[in-house]
Amino acid sequence: MEYCRSADMSFESGVKLAAELGYKYIEPMVHTGWELLSEVDYFHSFSMEEDTLLMKEICDKYGIKVSSISGHSPLMKPEAAVTRLTRAIIFADAVNAKFVNTDEMVKPDWMDDDFAHQVMKYTLTKAALVANRHQINVCIEPHGIYTKTAEGLMRIVSLVDSPWIGVNWDTGNSYLAGIEDPYDGLNAVKDKILHIHAKDISMEQSDEQRGSVTGTPVGCACGEGVVNWDKVIEILEPVNKDIFLSVECGKIDEAERSIAFLRKTLGPLLIND
């Protein structure tokens, strides 16, 4: 739902607009506590202090389903991440979503790599216990210092031996990291992919940021940037499972053009858009 952030839209307004644009599913952002901009309807993030069925009620009103929850939590900060991530899992179950997306976020300067992975293992172990009870997939996204490579991403995914921990591949972040070929990376993790952030990167953003960042909040409209979607489809088509693609762009018109492009490009591969 980042597509409506630049328009300062509320959660309900964003849901209504998604339906009008032709989307059948959304990926809401959730937060703990009470966030000022959300409370005055200027931001689309949904508080997990609210009744979970309120989100479902709003979505049902506009004929929209929840595919996944954006529950990004700082895995290296368990005092924040355990509560946030486990609550997002419970929330996902209540609204019939099947995925909660997260990444490692920021590493504290005082934490070395071994310590960081020990802490992340603790956080993900707690999350996996809850995910198993609720049958919800926790998907790790390439977006930080460790997940900017396929090897680093898989190291985190493999910290806990759980069928409920997999990959949310971000086509834009993997390109911007600029460390490895993003399609080689996709090929390396494809068997663990459960969910995809369909994010394209403009040529201007690529020129300015590639190799200097580990990710970006939003991209441009799908099909209008540097991502080779034919290559993405070629790699994923042999994978024998359903995979959700969640469009991630920064403007309403980009969301409109993205769904048109993906419908045309994916064609018969689409099960439900």
Side-chain angles (χ1 to χ4, degrees):
M1 290 187 68
E2 291 283 359
Y3 81 100
C4 66
R5 177 158 61 101
S6 62
D8 296 329
M9 298 182 79
S10 68
F11 175 76
E12 182 166 358
S13 296
V15 173
K16 180 176 183 292
L17 183 55
E20 292 172 351
L21 293 175
Y23 286 91
K24 304 290 181 62
Y25 293 86
I26 56 168
E27 180 185 348
M29 177 191 296
V30 295
H31 59 271
T32 52
W34 304 101
E35 196 276 324
L36 173 61
L37 294 179
S38 299
E39 290 304 305
V40 292
D41 291 340
Y42 292 156
F43 190 43
H44 62 83
S45 188
F46 194 95
S47 174
M48 290 189 286
E49 311 302 328
E50 299 279 9
D51 181 356
T52 51
L53 294 184
L54 174 59
M55 177 184 283
K56 187 175 185 302
E57 181 180 292
I58 293 170
C59 291
D60 288 347
K61 179 179 178 180
Y62 299 103
I64 288 285
K65 297 179 181 178
V66 180
S67 63
S68 48
I69 293 289
S70 179
H72 285 264
S73 305
L75 299 183
M76 291 171 274
K77 190 176 183 180
E79 65 270 30
V82 170
T83 299
R84 182 180 174 89
L85 194 52
T86 54
R87 288 183 68 184
I89 292 166
I90 296 167
F91 212 93
D93 188 13
V95 297
N96 299 320
K98 295 299 179 186
F99 312 95
V100 171
N101 295 319
T102 187
D103 65 273
E104 77 272 41
M105 297 180 79
V106 178
K107 184 181 81 65
D109 291 339
W110 49 266
M111 188 178 285
D112 64 24
D113 290 346
D114 288 340
F115 190 13
H117 283 82
Q118 290 173 23
V119 171
M120 286 192 285
K121 182 175 182 178
Y122 173 83
T123 300
L124 289 173
T125 297
K126 295 283 285 186
L129 292 171
V130 180
N132 181 61
R133 295 187 194 107
H134 290 268
Q135 309 286 281
I136 299 294
N137 297 286
V138 176
C139 303
I140 314 296
E141 174 181 346
H143 210 322
I145 184 173
Y146 295 119
T147 53
K148 60 188 177 181
T149 65
E151 182 181 4
L153 175 59
M154 288 307 299
R155 182 180 177 187
I156 294 174
V157 170
S158 303
L159 286 172
V160 180
D161 184 15
S162 169
W164 299 105
I165 298 179
V167 170
N168 171 47
W169 185 256
D170 189 300
T171 53
N173 291 349
S174 59
Y175 178 90
L176 276 184
I179 296 175
E180 62 186 8
D181 183 285
Y183 310 105
D184 289 344
L186 173 60
N187 196 58
V189 305
K190 64 182 180 182
D191 292 333
K192 295 294 288 185
I193 289 179
L194 302 170
H195 192 279
I196 288 178
H197 275 169
K199 181 193 294 179
D200 214 332
I201 302 297
S202 68
M203 185 63 70
E204 180 182 19
Q205 189 176 17
S206 173
D207 290 343
E208 291 176 354
Q209 295 185 328
R210 193 175 194 203
S212 63
V213 298
T214 57
T216 183
V218 293
C220 64
C222 293
E224 297 181 4
V226 296
V227 172
N228 184 339
W229 292 99
D230 289 336
K231 187 69 174 177
V232 171
I233 294 167
E234 177 187 328
I235 293 169
L236 291 177
E237 189 172 3
V239 178
N240 186 29
K241 59 186 169 188
D242 298 341
I243 299 174
F244 262 97
L245 273 74
S246 179
V247 171
E248 189 174 354
C249 54
K251 298 178 181 178
I252 294 169
D253 61 310
E254 292 173 348
E256 185 174 15
R257 296 198 300 276
S258 290
I259 192 171
F261 169 79
L262 289 173
R263 280 174 171 164
K264 179 180 178 181
T265 304
L266 294 173
L269 294 176
L270 284 175
I271 297 172
N272 192 332
D273 62 357

